[in-house]
Every structure is written in C-alpha cells, then in structure tokens.
Amino acid sequence: MQENNHIIELKYLTKYYKGSNVPAIDNISLNINKGEIYGLLGPNGAGKTTTISILCGLFGPTSGNVFIDGMEYQHSAEKIKNIIGVVPQDIALYPSLTAKENLTFFGHMYGLKGKHLKTRIEECLELFGLEKNANRRIKTFSGGMKRRINLIAGILHKPKIIYLDEPTVGVDVQSRNVILDHLRSINKEGTTIIYTSHYMEEAENFCSRVAIIDKGNILTEGKPKDLVNSKEEYIDLESIFLNITGRALRDE
Amino acid sequence: MQRLLSSIYKELLVLIRDKAGLAILFIMPLVLILIMTVIQDATFRTVKEVNISMILVNNDKDSLGEAISEGLYASEFFQIVEEIDEKEITEEMAKELVAKGDYKLGIIIPERATDAIRGNVNALINKSFKSFNIAGVKKRTKKSTIDVTIFIDPATSQSFKNMVMSSLKEFTSQLEIEMFFKNFSEALTQLMPDQKPIKFESFETIKYKEVYASTTNDEILPNSVQHNVPAWTMFAMFFIVLPLAGNIIKERDDGSAFRLKTMPGSFITVMFSKIFVFLSVSFLQFILMLLVGVYIMPTLGLPQLEIGPHKIALGVMAIASGLAATGYGVAIGTIATTHEQAATFGAVSIIIFAALGGIWVPVYVMPHAVKIISQFSPLHWGLNGFYDIFLRGGDLWVIAAEAGKLLIFFALMLFIAIVYNNYNKTK
C-alpha cells in the first residue's frame, strides 16, 4: 500500500445515515498524494461534509475503507488523530478565553508542551499577524481574526494532513489572502491539504487537484487546468461545476 | 495527564470568566437554603412558638365552652378571636370569614352543649346506681349527642387540622371525666353519708420522656436546621446538572466539541475535566451551605447547625453526592440536543427525584408503591446519608451503603454518556 505516494486512500466508500435509504456518499474511491492541495467541491448536500467527517474519524463509513498514511481508524485512531489537523467551518474556539489560552489548550491536547508550544504559538500568531492580540479574548475579535485563530488551532502541531472546511468563508479579502498565502507555504513544507469551498475561483487557483462531487458520487477529478482544457465550452472551474452539477437550487 | 490538567485549567477559566453564571452557581443555593429553612422552621417549632388566628363562637356559655376556650387560650398556639369591632362573631360570620381565608379555623360550640354532656354523664351514673335508687340522681337514660362545628379553610394543612381536632377531643374528654367523677362522687356520698366527697385529681402517673435514638452517644437535637440544611443542600447540589449540561451543549454548539473529537484521546479527558471542576464547585457549594447553617442561620433566629464529630463521613457523602450530580449532568449534556431539552428535563427530573427522595414529604408517609420507587432516587440516598450524619450521629460505616449507591449512580451515568457518544459515531 505504501509503495505509492498516496497519503489518503478511499476505497469504495459508502455511507448511509441511520433512517435514510439514500446514500450520503455512494461507493466513492479516490487517492490523495502526499503534498497535494486537494479540493473537494460540490453543491450543498453533495457529500463533502460526510467525506471530511469520515476522514476526521468522527464516524465510520457504512462500507469501504479509509487509509490515512497507511493506517485505518479501526486500529490506529489515536495515531491518525496525531497526524491530522482540522479547521472546521465554524469558529471552534472558546470565546471567553484569549487567543493564547485557546491555542495553549489545543496545543496541549495535541501533546505539545513547554517552551516548544510557547514558541510555536508565538510563531503562528506572528505569521498570521495576530501577535499583538494574543492576550485578547476571542469574543472581541473580528470575523477575519477569528478565522485566522481557528486556522492556527488546527495547524499548531504541524500535522501531516490538514482538513480545511470552507476556511475563508465570510472573511475580508485581506484575511483571505493571508490565510491562503500561509496555507501555500505550509503546503510547500510538505503538508497535505484537503480543502472544501464554494468559491470556485479560489479553488481553481489554490488546489493542485480537485474532485467535483454530487449526490454522493465523484463526477470528475483532476488538475483544475486540465479540467478547464478538457472541453471547449469550459472557461473556468465554475463553468465546469455548473455544467456537471446543474443550475437548479440546492437545499442543505 | 497534561491533557487532563490543561482541560481542567480551561474549564476553570471558562467558569471563572462567566461572572453571572458563577454568582448564580453560588448565590442561588445559599438563597434557597436560607429561605427554605426559615419557611420550614415553623413546622419544627414547638406549639408555643407559633400563633395562628382562629375564631371561637361560644354559644354554650357553660362548662364545655369554658373548658375549650380556656384550653385554646392556654395553649398559646392560637390567637383566639371572639369579637370583631366589639361585636360578637356569629356562626354565619365565622363561616364567611373562614371561607374568605381570613382565618384558618372557626369553632362553633352550640348552645346547651354542656347540658348534653351532663345528661349523658347522669344517664351513665343512673344506670350504674339504678338498684340503689338514689334521690339526687336524675332518671334520664337516653344518650344524646351534639355537634361542635369546625369551619376549616380548605387551604389548611391536614396535620394542623388533626392537631386542633385532637386538642378539642382532649378538652371534651377531660370535661366528661371531671363531670363523671364529680357526679359519681356525689352519688357515692348519698349512698355512704359518712364518706367525704372526693375531689378530682389528675395523677399524671405516666410521664412521657423523649429520647432521640442515635447510633452513638452524641446527642444531636433534631430541629429545623438539622433537617433542612442537609435536605436543601442535597437539592441545591443536584442543580449543578443544569450549568454542567449547558456547558457540554454550548461546547457542542460552538464547534469546539467537533474539534476536540478530532484530537487524540479527547472525550474521556474532556468529561473528566468537567467532572473535576463541577465536583469542586459542588463541594464548595456544600461547604458554603454548611457555613451558612453554622454562622448565618443563628443570626436569623434559627438554631445553629451542629456538624457533629464525623467530618470524614460528611466529606465522603458530599463527594459522593457531588459525583452523582455531575455524572447526571454529563449524561444529560451528552444526550440532550438543545439547551431547552437539558434545562427542562434536568430541572423537572431533579424535582421528581427530590419529591421521591423525601425532601418535601417524608418517605415513610408515602404510598407503598411510591416508597418502592423512592428507593431509586439518588436524592433519597443522599438525604438518608446526610440524615445519618446530622441527626443520627452516623459515621463512615453507617453512610457507606448510601455513598456506595451514589457512586454506582455516577458510574452508571458516565457509562450511559460514553455508550451514547460511541453510538453517535455509528450514525
């Protein structure tokens, strides 16, 4: 299995939620290589969150297998959790704690401690332009600042894989650029990034490969440029997305 | 270990920074215990200490009327009202005043009530001395009855009503005995003229000595504080369920719980840190409530709480009760999906547990089926354990069974929370 460069392998993955006879994801298989920025794109209810949740170990699939760095959650959940970092779409922080207190707590939960943790927190806060706000409580932060701290909490322990669920939603252009620039630099250091977004332009520029999924199936997969060049009528990733998922409105 | 310590520190920070929540957590139980003890103090006081307004309409104006009137005035338990605006109260007025709730009771002694007793006494003596044909003894043989009407406010408690009835029956019986003895003595004197009349005396040969049973030689006098402080402390400690369940749900709603679930070894660590912090809070609540019993209650005219010599047993009971309460909070917080669910279910279930546990009404007066159910209330175990210490002078061995049940309840609640959390992963 580890002869290849795949850090994540999904094999024939299917998930039915209890009480539903429609699969949230239906027999999907995909491989993500080490060092990739892989975009999972799709309309609401396509199966992105279900796939990410399974990759994070929140729950298991109904059938199929997930290999993370060659390990499976059934046997090595703790080891896998040590090498992944999750940046949820919600601001998953404690509003009454300061930025530093939040990061210290999450750092400790990842097993970081002492001077190493302190240095790492200072380094990250500086990197994301938040060093002056380290001792301010999160509830006093702007939306963009909260997003940046939310991101730092997921990358503090230098994970091998980062799952980013809509990391730039609701933030200003400046914050978005800071976030994406630093994610690129983290990626250059060898971290694999799995990313979901509704911003097609952002995904086209940011991802090395994307998969467009809908109704639990992968409709297309490849490098954004290759996908755009695959048909004459495709202008950009958004035109592909609309072409293959349709223009009908989607509910959650 | 570092994860646990860091998680405890985080919980402490979150708790300390919620100033309003913290104030509620500590002030409300103290207010509850003070108010409930003051209110319930009346039911524990001796008869003389309470004064309840009552109407007396004495239409008899004879021995029975006098005996009842004197007895009621002498008891000092009642404030007797016979006139309003210098006008004698009639039976109709009494009924109306009691119906309006102005007075708890109205006693109407009818005309010729004493005559009725007298007639019955004479009839009995006549029957006894029939063959002697004594001139003074009236020839009446028919037994008559007469009703003393008691108007009762429907809101009056059964126990109070029973106490008044019992007092009235005692006054009547006393009068009947005295009359019988007097007439009997007169009849004897007629039969044996040399015999001097005998004066009625109450011997009080049998005296009642109250001794509070205790497993030790420490004599702790039961009073409102000894009863109420442990009862309401137990009740207040269980209300920690609400902020704890709320804390778990808030963490889930904020998204922090999601992040924690993706981190190594989180659920158990997070839960234990919450249990530790909230257990500490409930222990502090317990100590504060004891201090209120010892230092504040005497300043309000209440008896002082006697903690007794078994402080280790007290500590064990406090920790066991705190663990049971926090375990219950963890289970509710894990299973409930909204704050509303947790708050409603948590509060109502604690009140049910408290009612079954005997916080308001002693378990021994409950119907048989409820008595059986009450054995499954953690508040019943806690209350029994505290009563063992505060009223019966029980030590560690005496409370071991109750503390054990509370610890098993804690383990069961934690098990339910873990199983439910794992079940959610399979959804």
Side-chain angles (χ1 to χ4, degrees), chain B residues 58-69 108-123 138 140 144-148 171-172 174-180 182-183:
Chain B
N58 181 5
N59 292 330
D60 180 51
K61 316 278 187 198
D62 201 344
S63 303
L64 179 68
E66 278 170 23
I68 290 176
S69 177
I108 318 296
I109 309 167
E111 281 179 40
R112 306 181 64 81
T114 308
D115 279 351
I117 299 176
R118 206 173 276 132
N120 286 344
V121 166
N122 285 336
K138 290 173 187 171
R140 187 172 167 185
S144 61
T145 57
I146 198 150
D147 292 333
V148 171
F171 301 146
T172 315
Q174 183 78 8
L175 183 73
E176 281 175 345
I177 291 167
E178 281 183 32
M179 269 188 187
F180 179 81
K182 188 170 165 261
N183 290 10

Short mmCIF file of all heavy atoms in Angstrom, two decimals, chain B residues 58-69 108-123 138 140 144-148 171-172 174-180 182-183:
data_model
loop_
_atom_site.label_atom_id
_atom_site.label_comp_id
_atom_site.label_asym_id
_atom_site.label_seq_id
_atom_site.Cartn_x
_atom_site.Cartn_y
_atom_site.Cartn_z
N ASN B 58 -68.62 30.86 71.15
CA ASN B 58 -69.02 30.06 72.30
C ASN B 58 -70.48 30.36 72.65
O ASN B 58 -70.79 31.29 73.38
CB ASN B 58 -68.10 30.39 73.48
CG ASN B 58 -68.42 29.58 74.71
OD1 ASN B 58 -69.29 28.70 74.68
ND2 ASN B 58 -67.75 29.87 75.81
N ASN B 59 -71.38 29.55 72.06
CA ASN B 59 -72.81 29.73 72.34
C ASN B 59 -73.24 28.92 73.55
O ASN B 59 -74.37 28.99 73.99
CB ASN B 59 -73.65 29.32 71.12
CG ASN B 59 -73.45 30.28 69.96
OD1 ASN B 59 -73.17 31.46 70.17
ND2 ASN B 59 -73.57 29.78 68.74
N ASP B 60 -72.32 28.13 74.07
CA ASP B 60 -72.63 27.24 75.20
C ASP B 60 -72.67 28.03 76.51
O ASP B 60 -73.57 27.87 77.30
CB ASP B 60 -71.57 26.14 75.25
CG ASP B 60 -71.79 25.17 76.38
OD1 ASP B 60 -72.93 24.65 76.49
OD2 ASP B 60 -70.85 24.94 77.16
N LYS B 61 -71.68 28.88 76.70
CA LYS B 61 -71.52 29.70 77.89
C LYS B 61 -71.56 28.87 79.17
O LYS B 61 -72.05 29.31 80.21
CB LYS B 61 -72.62 30.79 77.99
CG LYS B 61 -72.93 31.54 76.72
CD LYS B 61 -71.95 32.65 76.47
CE LYS B 61 -72.41 33.47 75.27
NZ LYS B 61 -71.36 34.27 74.70
N ASP B 62 -71.14 27.64 79.06
CA ASP B 62 -71.17 26.74 80.23
C ASP B 62 -69.82 26.02 80.30
O ASP B 62 -68.86 26.43 79.65
CB ASP B 62 -72.34 25.77 80.05
CG ASP B 62 -72.77 25.15 81.38
OD1 ASP B 62 -72.00 25.23 82.35
OD2 ASP B 62 -73.88 24.57 81.43
N SER B 63 -69.78 24.92 81.00
CA SER B 63 -68.50 24.26 81.29
C SER B 63 -67.71 23.88 80.04
O SER B 63 -66.50 24.11 79.97
CB SER B 63 -68.74 22.99 82.11
OG SER B 63 -69.42 23.32 83.27
N LEU B 64 -68.40 23.28 79.06
CA LEU B 64 -67.67 22.85 77.86
C LEU B 64 -67.08 24.06 77.13
O LEU B 64 -65.92 24.07 76.76
CB LEU B 64 -68.58 22.05 76.92
CG LEU B 64 -67.87 21.58 75.64
CD1 LEU B 64 -66.81 20.53 75.95
CD2 LEU B 64 -68.84 21.04 74.62
N GLY B 65 -67.93 25.07 76.94
CA GLY B 65 -67.48 26.29 76.29
C GLY B 65 -66.29 26.89 77.01
O GLY B 65 -65.29 27.27 76.38
N GLU B 66 -66.38 26.91 78.33
CA GLU B 66 -65.29 27.48 79.12
C GLU B 66 -64.02 26.64 79.00
O GLU B 66 -62.92 27.16 78.86
CB GLU B 66 -65.70 27.57 80.59
CG GLU B 66 -66.54 28.80 80.88
CD GLU B 66 -67.15 28.75 82.28
OE1 GLU B 66 -66.60 28.03 83.14
OE2 GLU B 66 -68.19 29.40 82.47
N ALA B 67 -64.23 25.31 79.08
CA ALA B 67 -63.06 24.41 79.01
C ALA B 67 -62.33 24.55 77.68
O ALA B 67 -61.09 24.65 77.63
CB ALA B 67 -63.50 22.97 79.21
N ILE B 68 -63.10 24.58 76.60
CA ILE B 68 -62.47 24.71 75.27
C ILE B 68 -61.79 26.08 75.15
O ILE B 68 -60.66 26.19 74.71
CB ILE B 68 -63.50 24.48 74.14
CG1 ILE B 68 -63.92 23.01 74.11
CG2 ILE B 68 -62.94 24.90 72.79
CD1 ILE B 68 -65.00 22.68 73.10
N SER B 69 -62.53 27.09 75.56
CA SER B 69 -61.99 28.45 75.47
C SER B 69 -60.70 28.57 76.29
O SER B 69 -59.68 29.06 75.79
CB SER B 69 -63.06 29.42 75.98
OG SER B 69 -62.55 30.71 75.96
N ILE B 108 -67.41 26.42 66.48
CA ILE B 108 -68.72 26.84 66.96
C ILE B 108 -69.19 25.86 68.03
O ILE B 108 -69.48 24.69 67.72
CB ILE B 108 -69.77 26.87 65.81
CG1 ILE B 108 -69.17 27.47 64.52
CG2 ILE B 108 -71.05 27.57 66.27
CD1 ILE B 108 -68.75 28.92 64.62
N ILE B 109 -69.23 26.33 69.27
CA ILE B 109 -69.73 25.46 70.35
C ILE B 109 -71.21 25.80 70.52
O ILE B 109 -71.57 26.95 70.83
CB ILE B 109 -68.97 25.70 71.67
CG1 ILE B 109 -67.46 25.62 71.41
CG2 ILE B 109 -69.39 24.70 72.73
CD1 ILE B 109 -66.62 26.14 72.54
N PRO B 110 -72.09 24.82 70.23
CA PRO B 110 -73.53 25.15 70.23
C PRO B 110 -74.09 25.36 71.64
O PRO B 110 -73.45 24.98 72.64
CB PRO B 110 -74.15 23.92 69.58
CG PRO B 110 -73.21 22.83 69.86
CD PRO B 110 -71.85 23.42 69.95
N GLU B 111 -75.24 25.96 71.67
CA GLU B 111 -75.95 26.14 72.95
C GLU B 111 -76.22 24.77 73.57
O GLU B 111 -76.44 23.79 72.86
CB GLU B 111 -77.30 26.82 72.70
CG GLU B 111 -77.20 28.31 72.51
CD GLU B 111 -78.56 28.92 72.25
OE1 GLU B 111 -79.54 28.49 72.91
OE2 GLU B 111 -78.64 29.80 71.37
N ARG B 112 -76.21 24.72 74.87
CA ARG B 112 -76.56 23.54 75.65
C ARG B 112 -75.65 22.34 75.37
O ARG B 112 -76.05 21.20 75.56
CB ARG B 112 -78.03 23.15 75.42
CG ARG B 112 -79.01 24.32 75.69
CD ARG B 112 -80.45 23.90 75.48
NE ARG B 112 -80.86 22.88 76.42
CZ ARG B 112 -81.24 23.12 77.68
NH1 ARG B 112 -81.22 24.35 78.15
NH2 ARG B 112 -81.60 22.13 78.47
N ALA B 113 -74.45 22.62 74.88
CA ALA B 113 -73.52 21.51 74.63
C ALA B 113 -73.13 20.87 75.95
O ALA B 113 -73.05 19.63 76.07
CB ALA B 113 -72.27 22.02 73.92
N THR B 114 -72.93 21.71 76.98
CA THR B 114 -72.55 21.16 78.29
C THR B 114 -73.69 20.33 78.87
O THR B 114 -73.46 19.27 79.46
CB THR B 114 -72.17 22.30 79.26
OG1 THR B 114 -71.19 23.12 78.60
CG2 THR B 114 -71.60 21.77 80.55
N ASP B 115 -74.91 20.82 78.64
CA ASP B 115 -76.08 20.07 79.12
C ASP B 115 -76.10 18.67 78.53
O ASP B 115 -76.50 17.71 79.20
CB ASP B 115 -77.37 20.80 78.73
CG ASP B 115 -77.67 21.93 79.71
OD1 ASP B 115 -76.96 22.01 80.74
OD2 ASP B 115 -78.57 22.74 79.41
N ALA B 116 -75.73 18.60 77.28
CA ALA B 116 -75.73 17.30 76.61
C ALA B 116 -74.75 16.36 77.29
O ALA B 116 -75.05 15.18 77.55
CB ALA B 116 -75.37 17.47 75.14
N ILE B 117 -73.56 16.87 77.62
CA ILE B 117 -72.56 16.03 78.31
C ILE B 117 -73.08 15.66 79.69
O ILE B 117 -73.03 14.49 80.10
CB ILE B 117 -71.21 16.77 78.42
CG1 ILE B 117 -70.66 17.09 77.02
CG2 ILE B 117 -70.19 15.96 79.20
CD1 ILE B 117 -69.39 17.91 77.02
N ARG B 118 -73.58 16.70 80.33
CA ARG B 118 -74.10 16.46 81.68
C ARG B 118 -75.16 15.37 81.68
O ARG B 118 -75.16 14.46 82.49
CB ARG B 118 -74.65 17.78 82.21
CG ARG B 118 -74.63 17.89 83.72
CD ARG B 118 -75.05 19.29 84.14
NE ARG B 118 -73.97 20.25 84.13
CZ ARG B 118 -74.04 21.46 83.58
NH1 ARG B 118 -75.12 21.86 82.96
NH2 ARG B 118 -73.02 22.28 83.65
N GLY B 119 -76.07 15.46 80.72
CA GLY B 119 -77.15 14.48 80.60
C GLY B 119 -76.62 13.07 80.39
O GLY B 119 -77.07 12.11 81.02
N ASN B 120 -75.63 12.97 79.54
CA ASN B 120 -75.05 11.65 79.25
C ASN B 120 -74.33 11.08 80.48
O ASN B 120 -74.43 9.89 80.76
CB ASN B 120 -74.06 11.75 78.09
CG ASN B 120 -74.78 11.90 76.76
OD1 ASN B 120 -75.99 11.64 76.67
ND2 ASN B 120 -74.07 12.35 75.75
N VAL B 121 -73.64 11.98 81.21
CA VAL B 121 -72.93 11.53 82.42
C VAL B 121 -73.95 11.03 83.46
O VAL B 121 -73.80 9.95 84.04
CB VAL B 121 -72.07 12.69 82.99
CG1 VAL B 121 -71.60 12.39 84.41
CG2 VAL B 121 -70.87 12.95 82.09
N ASN B 122 -75.01 11.83 83.61
CA ASN B 122 -76.05 11.43 84.57
C ASN B 122 -76.69 10.10 84.19
O ASN B 122 -76.98 9.27 85.03
CB ASN B 122 -77.11 12.51 84.67
CG ASN B 122 -76.60 13.70 85.47
OD1 ASN B 122 -75.69 13.54 86.28
ND2 ASN B 122 -77.17 14.87 85.25
N ALA B 123 -76.89 9.94 82.91
CA ALA B 123 -77.52 8.71 82.44
C ALA B 123 -76.66 7.51 82.78
O ALA B 123 -77.15 6.46 83.21
CB ALA B 123 -77.71 8.79 80.93
N LYS B 138 -80.58 11.89 88.54
CA LYS B 138 -81.71 12.09 87.63
C LYS B 138 -82.03 10.80 86.90
O LYS B 138 -81.15 9.96 86.68
CB LYS B 138 -81.35 13.19 86.63
CG LYS B 138 -81.28 14.55 87.31
CD LYS B 138 -80.76 15.61 86.38
CE LYS B 138 -80.54 16.91 87.14
NZ LYS B 138 -79.84 17.91 86.35
N ARG B 140 -82.70 10.16 83.88
CA ARG B 140 -82.55 10.19 82.42
C ARG B 140 -81.67 9.02 81.95
O ARG B 140 -80.63 8.74 82.54
CB ARG B 140 -81.91 11.51 82.04
CG ARG B 140 -81.83 11.77 80.58
CD ARG B 140 -81.36 13.18 80.38
NE ARG B 140 -80.99 13.38 79.01
CZ ARG B 140 -80.46 14.51 78.57
NH1 ARG B 140 -80.27 15.50 79.42
NH2 ARG B 140 -80.14 14.63 77.32
N SER B 144 -77.56 11.42 74.42
CA SER B 144 -77.73 12.43 73.36
C SER B 144 -76.37 12.86 72.83
O SER B 144 -75.35 12.75 73.52
CB SER B 144 -78.48 13.64 73.92
OG SER B 144 -77.75 14.23 74.97
N THR B 145 -76.38 13.34 71.60
CA THR B 145 -75.12 13.86 71.01
C THR B 145 -75.38 15.27 70.51
O THR B 145 -76.51 15.63 70.19
CB THR B 145 -74.65 13.00 69.80
OG1 THR B 145 -75.70 12.96 68.85
CG2 THR B 145 -74.27 11.60 70.22
N ILE B 146 -74.30 16.01 70.46
CA ILE B 146 -74.41 17.40 69.96
C ILE B 146 -73.16 17.70 69.15
O ILE B 146 -72.06 17.22 69.46
CB ILE B 146 -74.62 18.37 71.15
CG1 ILE B 146 -75.18 19.70 70.64
CG2 ILE B 146 -73.36 18.60 71.95
CD1 ILE B 146 -76.04 20.38 71.67
N ASP B 147 -73.34 18.47 68.08
CA ASP B 147 -72.20 18.73 67.19
C ASP B 147 -71.50 20.05 67.50
O ASP B 147 -72.15 21.09 67.56
CB ASP B 147 -72.67 18.79 65.73
CG ASP B 147 -73.15 17.43 65.23
OD1 ASP B 147 -72.66 16.42 65.77
OD2 ASP B 147 -74.00 17.40 64.33
N VAL B 148 -70.20 19.98 67.69
CA VAL B 148 -69.38 21.19 67.74
C VAL B 148 -68.87 21.35 66.30
O VAL B 148 -68.16 20.49 65.78
CB VAL B 148 -68.19 21.02 68.72
CG1 VAL B 148 -67.22 22.20 68.59
CG2 VAL B 148 -68.69 20.91 70.13
N PHE B 171 -59.93 18.29 75.33
CA PHE B 171 -60.66 19.18 76.25
C PHE B 171 -62.01 18.55 76.61
O PHE B 171 -62.43 18.57 77.77
CB PHE B 171 -60.92 20.55 75.60
CG PHE B 171 -59.68 21.31 75.19
CD1 PHE B 171 -59.68 22.12 74.07
CD2 PHE B 171 -58.52 21.20 75.94
CE1 PHE B 171 -58.55 22.82 73.69
CE2 PHE B 171 -57.38 21.90 75.56
CZ PHE B 171 -57.39 22.70 74.43
N THR B 172 -62.71 18.00 75.63
CA THR B 172 -64.04 17.41 75.86
C THR B 172 -63.94 16.20 76.77
O THR B 172 -64.72 16.04 77.72
CB THR B 172 -64.67 17.00 74.50
OG1 THR B 172 -64.48 18.06 73.59
CG2 THR B 172 -66.15 16.70 74.63
N GLN B 174 -61.64 15.48 78.91
CA GLN B 174 -61.26 15.93 80.25
C GLN B 174 -62.50 16.39 81.02
O GLN B 174 -62.71 16.03 82.18
CB GLN B 174 -60.24 17.08 80.11
CG GLN B 174 -59.71 17.61 81.42
CD GLN B 174 -58.64 16.68 82.01
OE1 GLN B 174 -58.21 15.74 81.36
NE2 GLN B 174 -58.28 16.92 83.25
N LEU B 175 -63.34 17.15 80.29
CA LEU B 175 -64.56 17.68 80.94
C LEU B 175 -65.50 16.53 81.29
O LEU B 175 -66.09 16.50 82.39
CB LEU B 175 -65.25 18.66 79.99
CG LEU B 175 -66.49 19.31 80.57
CD1 LEU B 175 -66.11 20.35 81.63
CD2 LEU B 175 -67.32 19.98 79.49
N GLU B 176 -65.65 15.58 80.39
CA GLU B 176 -66.53 14.43 80.64
C GLU B 176 -66.06 13.64 81.86
O GLU B 176 -66.85 13.26 82.72
CB GLU B 176 -66.56 13.51 79.40
CG GLU B 176 -67.47 14.03 78.30
CD GLU B 176 -67.41 13.19 77.03
OE1 GLU B 176 -66.47 12.37 76.89
OE2 GLU B 176 -68.31 13.35 76.20
N ILE B 177 -64.74 13.43 81.93
CA ILE B 177 -64.19 12.67 83.07
C ILE B 177 -64.45 13.42 84.37
O ILE B 177 -64.90 12.84 85.37
CB ILE B 177 -62.67 12.42 82.87
CG1 ILE B 177 -62.45 11.43 81.72
CG2 ILE B 177 -62.02 11.88 84.14
CD1 ILE B 177 -61.02 11.37 81.24
N GLU B 178 -64.16 14.74 84.34
CA GLU B 178 -64.35 15.53 85.55
C GLU B 178 -65.81 15.52 86.02
O GLU B 178 -66.11 15.36 87.19
CB GLU B 178 -63.88 16.98 85.30
CG GLU B 178 -62.38 17.11 85.38
CD GLU B 178 -61.91 18.55 85.23
OE1 GLU B 178 -62.64 19.46 85.65
OE2 GLU B 178 -60.82 18.72 84.67
N MET B 179 -66.71 15.68 85.01
CA MET B 179 -68.15 15.67 85.34
C MET B 179 -68.59 14.34 85.91
O MET B 179 -69.33 14.24 86.88
CB MET B 179 -68.98 15.97 84.09
CG MET B 179 -69.25 17.42 83.90
SD MET B 179 -70.41 17.57 82.56
CE MET B 179 -70.41 19.32 82.36
N PHE B 180 -68.12 13.28 85.23
CA PHE B 180 -68.48 11.93 85.66
C PHE B 180 -67.99 11.69 87.08
O PHE B 180 -68.71 11.21 87.94
CB PHE B 180 -67.86 10.89 84.70
CG PHE B 180 -68.17 9.48 85.11
CD1 PHE B 180 -69.39 8.90 84.79
CD2 PHE B 180 -67.25 8.74 85.85
CE1 PHE B 180 -69.67 7.60 85.19
CE2 PHE B 180 -67.53 7.45 86.25
CZ PHE B 180 -68.75 6.87 85.91
N LYS B 182 -67.24 13.89 89.37
CA LYS B 182 -67.95 14.73 90.34
C LYS B 182 -69.32 14.10 90.68
O LYS B 182 -69.66 13.93 91.85
CB LYS B 182 -68.14 16.13 89.73
CG LYS B 182 -68.67 17.15 90.69
CD LYS B 182 -68.58 18.55 90.05
CE LYS B 182 -69.45 19.51 90.85
NZ LYS B 182 -70.74 19.75 90.25
N ASN B 183 -70.07 13.76 89.66
CA ASN B 183 -71.40 13.19 89.88
C ASN B 183 -71.34 11.82 90.56
O ASN B 183 -72.17 11.47 91.39
CB ASN B 183 -72.16 13.07 88.55
CG ASN B 183 -72.52 14.45 88.02
OD1 ASN B 183 -72.05 15.45 88.55
ND2 ASN B 183 -73.33 14.49 86.98
#
